Amino acid sequence: MKLSFFACLMLFFSFSFAQLSVRNDAFVFVNDEVLFVNDDVNLEEADSKIYLRDESQLIQGTGTTGNSGVGELSVYQTGTVNQWAYNYWCSPVGNNSAAYGNESARVNLIDDATGIPSAGDPLGLTSSTDALFTTGYNGSASPLTISSRWLYTYSISDSYADWNAIGSTGAINPGLGFTMKGNGTGATGSQLYDFRGKPNNGTMTNSVAEGVFTLVGNPYPSAIDSAAFIHDIDNVNAIDGTLFYWEQDASIPGPTGTQSHVLRDYVGGYSVFTIDASGVIMSNAPAAFFKYDEQDNVLPLPPGPPSNGSKMAYRYIPIGQGFMVQGDVGSSGSVSIKNAHRIYEKEGINNSYFFRSENNNDITTSSGVQFQENGLSIVPDDYKRFRINVEFSINEANYVRQMLLNFHDTATTGFDYGLELSRASELVNDAYFTYNDKDFIGLAYPFENTLAIPLIVDIEEQQPLRFRIFDIQNFDDSQGIYIHDIETDIYVDLRQQDYDLNIAPGNYTDRFEIVFTTESTLSIDELDITSLTILQDNGKHQLTVQNPNSLDIKSVEIFDVAGKQILKGNYDAIEEQYNLSTLNLSDGVYVVNVSTYSNTKAKSKKIIVKN
């Protein structure tokens, strides 16, 4: 006999050690609701089930006996359909034996939600079959077939070679994450997975070590609050407070596109996130692989097109979501996740969604947090914030490293847990901050206009480089925000214009800094180079430099991205406009340098030539 949800609630006390006991092959079906059980759950027989549907979630209280039974809880989650792209997972269920407590998970606990109607289930909401597995490179969506080649855990490791293959039956410790690729040929879209097993409950711990990553995740059939997790007293001294979410662009067909299983062809990175203890100040930055369109406009930042990344983490972490954590300085212990971190939050509402390759859902306000139309959170009036986009252009593989600076009276000149973002990985062309020999892409300070914040740039090959400001909050309109190029002693107010230059290979640890006042005699205003306009007209196959303020232009040079001079025009008379033909140039990205007699390089800009 199949019992309704309310009938099954009558069975709460039918087993002496469980507050919710489902017996005699009955089931509990929960639709668009939260099921709260203060103690523990027992699913006695193999056909005793709990079905969580339409964003339903199970939250448990302070019980310590441990869930038990050979029955199953079933909960859905969707991942990317793209068979070339990874999702990071954490199973909300473990092996379902009669033993009490959490058990290890296996990927073969995942079912294919078949949706086959039956007499007792006309909508097919409870039907499923075991997922199939293949040792081939590609899975498939129907019937659900998972490639075991891409199933890995990552525990206390800091190099790619230390990923641990688990296959379909390898044991995964409760709370530990795993990787899995999608199962279809579409570039975007979702694949539905049915996790079936004993619901995880209570405290789970996994080892961490200083400066080393561990792949963990949300191990419950409910959302968790990242603020509660990050600021739990057991975690404050264990991890550095940054959560790392994997993003991958697998949208471009092969053989040279990103739809490849070859590691060197992957285009991906980590979106990073942290949050203050109040849950109001969210700090995040996207993965560094955004690109330019043909008009030299940067593609929209988050939450823009999914084919170019664009996802961001928010406060609430959904069911099944895996993420990396990094051991804090001096840490050699464990990271804990607890029932106290659990919360009922649906995906797509109140800033919770799963990291997969599809469009982000609309975001609404939650817990005092408000959002801009672009998905970025708005900080309270007593905070200041801005982002710097450092844009690299090497061999047309253009991408942006976004860096965040928070300012508040409570911040310090030391490390501010919950306000600062660690750098996930090194890129050969990259930008970052550093403090105590640790790299960051987000820092916090008490604001003073005398601050000088060093910004490190690594360059592997000569290329155009651009600094651009983004997301300025709560700064007076009159307050300048400058990039100071110490080598040339030029200050550029990024609120007024971008700073473009052509840069040689090197590790620039003391060339660039963010400042809020200028002291140089070589300021942008004095050079008056803001009046110069560099335009590329591909219809006329012509480069034009407009000079309305009659600067003493000496030369206009065009370089390729390798730094080789392609064209040069020398001038000994002041003109309102200078033209160079680009008809004989190959299609591609070039850098234009305009020099004056009083300054060897008054202005530099990247152009795209398309003949």
Side-chain angles (χ1 to χ4, degrees):
M1 178 179 64
K2 307 302 183 185
L3 300 183
S4 70
F5 169 60
F6 293 105
C8 286
L9 293 183
M10 301 291 291
L11 302 176
F12 269 3
F13 299 102
S14 62
F15 189 82
S16 60
F17 297 107
Q19 190 171 357
L20 172 58
S21 181
V22 183
R23 301 288 306 275
N24 302 321
D25 299 335
F27 69 82
V28 176
F29 188 93
V30 189
N31 187 67
D32 192 24
E33 295 287 350
V34 58
L35 173 61
F36 177 77
V37 180
N38 190 52
D39 205 304
D40 303 307
V41 172
N42 174 260
L43 302 171
E44 185 71 8
E45 294 87 12
D47 284 336
S48 299
K49 313 283 188 183
I50 297 176
Y51 299 103
L52 301 179
R53 296 294 182 263
D54 193 19
E55 299 291 342
S56 294
Q57 298 175 24
L58 167 66
I59 293 180
Q60 294 183 249
T62 57
T64 58
T65 305
N67 297 339
S68 64
V70 296
E72 296 174 330
L73 176 137
S74 165
V75 61
Y76 290 165
Q77 184 53 282
T78 52
T80 178
V81 72
N82 193 313
Q83 65 190 10
W84 297 277
Y86 280 111
N87 282 148
Y88 283 7
W89 293 92
C90 185
S91 179
V93 299
N95 184 47
N96 50 323
S97 76
Y100 292 105
N102 299 322
E103 299 183 54
S104 61
R106 305 182 308 273
V107 181
N108 66 3
L109 294 176
I110 296 175
D111 277 15
D112 185 359
T114 56
I116 299 174
S118 63
D121 179 19
L123 298 179
L125 296 176
T126 63
S127 65
S128 72
T129 59
D130 292 342
L132 305 176
F133 290 86
T134 177
T135 58
Y137 289 102
N138 300 323
S140 61
S142 183
L144 177 60
T145 305
I146 298 170
S147 172
S148 59
R149 285 178 175 264
W150 316 115
L151 304 177
Y152 291 87
T153 58
Y154 194 90
S155 181
I156 310 186
S157 302
D158 58 2
S159 67
Y160 192 89
D162 288 323
W163 288 92
N164 304 302
I166 54 172
S168 62
T169 59
I172 307 171
N173 289 338
L176 199 64
F178 66 95
T179 67
M180 181 169 65
K181 285 190 177 182
N183 306 290
T185 57
T188 60
S190 297
Q191 172 69 53
L192 183 64
Y193 298 94
D194 185 357
F195 287 85
R196 294 198 173 212
K198 184 193 299 183
N200 288 324
N201 181 38
T203 300
M204 284 160 272
T205 61
N206 281 285
S207 297
V208 294
E210 179 179 341
V212 175
F213 289 95
T214 300
L215 177 55
V216 294
N218 175 7
Y220 301 115
S222 69
I224 61 172
D225 184 348
S226 65
F229 169 72
I230 289 172
H231 292 275
D232 188 292
I233 189 63
D234 291 333
N235 295 334
V236 168
N237 295 318
I239 60 176
D240 65 9
T242 301
L243 309 185
F244 304 88
Y245 294 89
W246 175 254
E247 295 189 59
Q248 186 174 340
D249 180 355
S251 62
I252 304 172
T256 59
T258 59
Q259 290 183 353
S260 170
H261 293 302
V262 180
L263 177 60
R264 67 173 177 268
D265 295 333
Y266 288 4
V267 175
Y270 288 95
S271 174
V272 293
F273 173 89
T274 194
I275 192 168
D276 76 329
S278 72
V280 173
I281 310 301
M282 294 191 295
S283 299
N284 46 21
F289 57 89
F290 297 104
K291 303 178 181 178
Y292 292 97
D293 63 17
E294 292 185 357
Q295 287 72 44
D296 198 25
N297 297 313
V298 70
L299 289 169
L301 285 166
S307 63
N308 291 279
S310 81
K311 298 186 293 297
M312 289 190 299
Y314 292 102
R315 175 172 179 175
Y316 301 110
I317 304 172
I319 295 169
Q321 177 70 68
F323 52 88
M324 290 282 194
V325 293
Q326 186 176 34
D328 198 9
V329 175
S331 175
S332 182
S334 59
V335 61
S336 299
I337 190 163
K338 307 173 182 178
N339 279 356
H341 307 158
R342 297 169 76 168
I343 190 168
Y344 178 51
E345 289 289 346
K346 297 181 182 180
E347 280 192 55
I349 298 177
N350 296 336
N351 55 80
S352 167
Y353 79 100
F354 195 89
F355 259 65
R356 52 180 171 264
S357 296
E358 62 179 63
N359 280 326
N360 191 4
N361 293 313
D362 293 336
I363 302 300
T364 62
T365 61
S366 175
S367 303
V369 180
Q370 293 187 346
F371 296 90
Q372 304 172 57
E373 290 183 2
N374 60 14
L376 296 174
S377 62
I378 299 174
V379 295
D381 291 343
D382 57 335
Y383 279 80
K384 300 178 188 292
R385 166 179 287 183
F386 64 86
R387 301 169 191 265
I388 297 292
N389 289 341
V390 184
E391 303 177 2
F392 299 88
S393 304
I394 181 67
N395 297 328
E396 298 188 14
N398 307 319
Y399 60 88
V400 175
R401 169 66 82 185
Q402 188 177 106
M403 308 172 71
L404 173 68
L405 286 167
N406 287 314
F407 301 93
H408 194 257
D409 291 344
T410 60
T412 69
T413 56
F415 176 62
D416 292 294
Y417 187 88
L419 283 176
E420 301 187 327
L421 297 167
S422 298
R423 184 171 67 147
S425 57
E426 298 179 6
L427 303 174
V428 293
N429 299 288
D430 208 351
Y432 52 96
F433 306 115
T434 188
Y435 171 74
N436 277 358
D437 297 323
K438 181 176 172 63
D439 298 339
F440 295 87
I441 59 172
L443 289 179
Y445 291 92
F447 182 76
E448 297 178 3
N449 62 9
T450 56
L451 276 172
I453 304 170
L455 190 157
I456 300 172
V457 175
D458 292 337
I459 299 294
E460 183 185 41
E461 298 180 47
Q462 184 155 345
Q463 62 185 284
L465 185 68
R466 172 179 291 171
F467 296 88
R468 176 182 294 181
I469 201 164
F470 180 66
D471 184 37
I472 306 171
Q473 296 188 41
N474 299 332
F475 276 84
D476 293 336
D477 292 341
S478 60
Q479 175 63 64
I481 301 174
Y482 302 89
I483 181 75
H484 180 203
D485 188 335
I486 298 171
E487 181 176 299
T488 60
D489 201 25
I490 288 179
Y491 292 78
V492 179
D493 187 349
L494 295 175
R495 302 187 74 169
Q496 304 299 320
Q497 67 179 86
D498 304 335
Y499 181 43
D500 294 272
L501 68 158
N502 195 31
I503 191 166
N507 171 232
Y508 296 94
T509 59
D510 54 6
R511 175 170 177 175
F512 302 104
E513 61 183 359
I514 304 296
V515 296
F516 303 93
T517 61
T518 105
E519 299 175 358
S520 172
T521 57
L522 286 176
S523 69
I524 293 297
D525 290 337
E526 185 171 341
L527 290 173
D528 200 21
I529 68 171
T530 58
S531 64
L532 288 173
T533 301
I534 301 172
L535 301 172
Q536 171 61 25
D537 189 331
N538 285 321
K540 296 181 178 178
H541 312 292
Q542 179 175 278
L543 171 73
T544 298
V545 177
Q546 296 175 348
N547 184 30
N549 286 3
S550 300
L551 296 181
D552 55 337
I553 301 299
K554 179 180 181 181
S555 65
V556 176
E557 300 168 280
I558 299 179
F559 295 85
D560 65 17
V561 292
K564 180 182 178 181
Q565 186 186 90
I566 305 299
L567 286 175
K568 182 177 182 180
N570 293 309
Y571 308 101
D572 54 11
I574 295 176
E575 305 285 349
E576 291 186 0
Q577 182 170 295
Y578 302 88
N579 297 316
L580 279 177
S581 173
T582 57
L583 180 62
N584 295 323
L585 298 185
S586 301
D587 291 358
V589 180
Y590 296 85
V591 174
V592 178
N593 285 346
V594 179
S595 300
T596 67
Y597 283 91
S598 57
N599 189 279
T600 57
K601 186 170 64 177
K603 191 164 188 177
S604 178
K605 183 180 179 181
K606 184 184 67 177
I607 63 169
I608 294 178
V609 173
K610 196 172 184 64
N611 290 320

